[in-house]
């Protein structure tokens, strides 16, 4: 009888300990060139996303790390953390070119490596952030385990081509372009300030960076993972770095999302070819292409506007979690 009670007590203690473990909490971190600080916390419920190396999230054009409780990657850092990942959300200038943003991200990655003692990091980027992460991977390839681009502007954007052409029209285009860039630069200087940093903004330089002509030059200088054909897959591994990508071709995906109409409008610039509103389907390809036709637009890819995405498609949060598990399974 004593043995029965002892066994029951041991089983109860084990269950209690397991419950405490599953209820333990962990925090993700937000970084700028000034350093990293603890941000939101989540109850850790498992190890599905527990990669060997920390996950570093990199935002795109007009991006930020967090404004108050609003993450650029809406709900994604917390979900990854809850599933066992060590997550660092970075912030670079909302608007600038690769020579500026790439160096800012490189500085933060070096800080993250020093803080964690990790040998490498897994970089996951949205939109223009794809270029920043590819720049970092080329600069310190032995410190980067993987680069994953989400709706990445890896081969330029027809929207950038159109807008660049308009603002370079002599007279009205030049003047209106100067006024627009001044407004955008001023607004996002403020956005960056309230989200924890003070970066110089240059929206014209950012726009030109994403034109097809500029991206041809970029890809010649940073070819790792880039497909050799216009709509193919690139090398899965280059310089010891693993490359992945996914993207969508949706526009009007949720009637409640105010940004959907804008994505449908800008999507017209692609002349009927598949796109997410800002990036062409084939232009998003890099390394192993996981999928390029999710029913998601460019904003949906990061689970915005506030989670208003298609209810008939896999959640963007799930895609990030699944990618973390893919990296974990690959020993990364």
């Amino acid at each position: 009888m004593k043995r029965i009670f002892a066994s029951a007590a041991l089983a109860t203690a084990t269950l209690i300990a397991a419950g405490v473990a599953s209820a333990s909490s962990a925090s993700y971190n937000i970084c700028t060139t000034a350093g990293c600080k603890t941000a939101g916390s989540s109850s850790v419920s498992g190890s599905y996303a527990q990669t060997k190396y920390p996950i570093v999230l990199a935002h795109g054009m007009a991006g930020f790390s967090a404004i108050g409780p609003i993450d650029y990657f809406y709900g994604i850092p917390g979900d990854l953390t809850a599933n066992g990942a060590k997550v660092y959300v970075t912030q670079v200038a909302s608007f600038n070119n690769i020579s500026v943003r790439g160096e800012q991200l490189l500085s933060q990655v070096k800080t993250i490596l020093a803080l964690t003692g990790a040998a490498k990091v897994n970089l996951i980027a949205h939109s223009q952030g794809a270029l920043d992460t590819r720049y970092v991977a080329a600069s310190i390839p032995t410190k980067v385990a993987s680069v994953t681009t989400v709706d990445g502007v890896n081969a330029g954007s027809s929207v950038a081509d159109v807008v660049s052409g308009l603002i370079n029209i002599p007279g009205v285009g030049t003047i209106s372009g100067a006024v627009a860039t001044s407004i955008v630069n001023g607004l996002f200087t403020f956005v960056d300030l309230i989200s924890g940093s003070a970066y110089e903004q240059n929206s014209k330089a950012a726009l030109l960076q994403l034109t097809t002509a500029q991206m041809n030059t970029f890809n010649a200088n940073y070819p790792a993972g880039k497909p050799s054909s216009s709509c193919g897959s690139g090398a899965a591994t280059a310089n010891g770095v693993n490359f992945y990508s996914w993207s969508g071709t949706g526009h009007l995906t949720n009637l409640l999302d105010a940004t959907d109409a804008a994505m449908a409008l800008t999507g017209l610039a692609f002349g009927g070819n598949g796109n997410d509103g800002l990036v062409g389907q084939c232009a998003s390809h890099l390394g192993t292409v996981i999928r390029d036709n999710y029913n998601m637009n460019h904003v949906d890819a990061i689970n915005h506007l506030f989670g208003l995405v298609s209810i008939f498609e896999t959640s963007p949060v799930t895609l990030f979690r699944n990618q973390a598990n893919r990296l974990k399974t690959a020993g990364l």
Side-chain angles (χ1 to χ4, degrees):
M1 183 66 71
K2 289 183 178 180
R3 288 183 179 180
I4 293 174
F5 281 121
S7 298
L10 179 60
T12 301
T14 302
L15 288 172
I16 292 173
V20 171
S22 65
S24 64
S25 63
S27 299
Y28 60 91
N29 297 270
I30 291 180
C31 302
T32 68
T33 50
C36 299
K37 62 181 181 181
T38 300
S41 62
S42 301
S43 295
V44 179
S45 57
S47 60
Y48 185 78
Q50 190 174 339
T51 54
K52 179 178 181 180
Y53 305 114
I55 291 175
V56 177
L57 299 176
H59 66 72
M61 181 185 286
F64 51 88
S65 54
I67 299 177
I70 304 171
D71 289 317
Y72 176 88
F73 294 92
Y74 189 70
I76 293 167
D79 182 83
L80 290 172
T81 301
N83 283 278
K86 292 182 179 179
V87 181
Y88 291 80
V89 184
T90 57
Q91 182 174 351
V92 298
S94 298
F95 286 90
N96 221 308
N97 59 25
I98 186 62
S99 62
V100 175
R101 286 172 48 116
E103 279 296 315
Q104 290 170 348
L105 181 60
L106 178 60
S107 171
Q108 291 167 64
V109 168
K110 289 179 177 179
T111 297
I112 292 166
L113 289 166
L115 286 173
T116 61
K120 299 182 179 184
V121 294
N122 290 301
L123 302 173
I124 304 181
H126 175 244
S127 191
Q128 189 186 4
L131 312 187
D132 305 333
T133 54
R134 290 171 62 188
Y135 177 93
V136 171
S139 300
I140 50 171
T142 60
K143 299 296 184 180
V144 177
S146 68
V147 169
T148 303
T149 67
V150 181
D151 292 54
V153 197
N154 289 309
S157 169
S158 295
V159 175
D161 292 340
V162 170
V163 176
S164 176
L166 291 174
I167 66 174
N168 285 317
I169 296 174
V172 176
T174 305
I175 295 171
S176 60
V179 172
T181 53
S182 294
I183 293 172
V184 170
N185 291 346
L187 173 62
F188 279 89
T189 295
F190 177 70
V191 168
D192 278 7
L193 280 171
I194 62 176
S195 58
S197 61
Y199 293 127
E200 180 181 353
Q201 308 295 329
N202 190 333
S203 54
K204 185 175 182 180
L207 174 69
L208 293 177
Q209 176 73 71
L210 302 184
T211 60
T212 302
Q214 287 285 335
M215 282 307 303
N216 286 339
T217 300
F218 176 89
N219 283 320
N221 293 328
Y222 303 95
K226 191 71 186 71
S228 56
S229 60
S230 62
C231 205
S233 294
T237 305
N239 301 324
V241 181
N242 296 270
F243 290 90
Y244 305 86
S245 62
W246 79 77
S247 59
T249 53
H251 293 129
L252 300 171
T253 59
N254 189 307
L255 293 175
L256 300 177
D257 189 345
T259 65
D260 279 14
M263 293 297 97
L265 180 62
T266 53
L268 297 175
F270 295 88
N273 293 318
N275 67 88
D276 67 359
L278 289 175
V279 178
Q281 182 177 14
C282 296
S284 69
H285 287 197
L286 188 75
T288 300
V289 179
I290 296 166
R291 186 176 159 187
D292 65 359
N293 63 346
Y294 287 106
N295 185 30
M296 298 179 186
N297 61 41
H298 200 71
V299 180
D300 292 338
I302 49 172
N303 200 37
H304 271 296
L305 193 64
F306 307 120
L308 294 174
V309 298
S310 174
I311 61 173
F312 304 107
E313 182 57 273
T314 306
S315 165
V317 178
T318 300
L319 294 185
F320 277 81
R321 188 192 315 132
N322 287 348
Q323 177 60 5
N325 180 259
R326 186 177 287 111
L327 297 173
K328 173 187 174 180
T329 302
L332 306 175

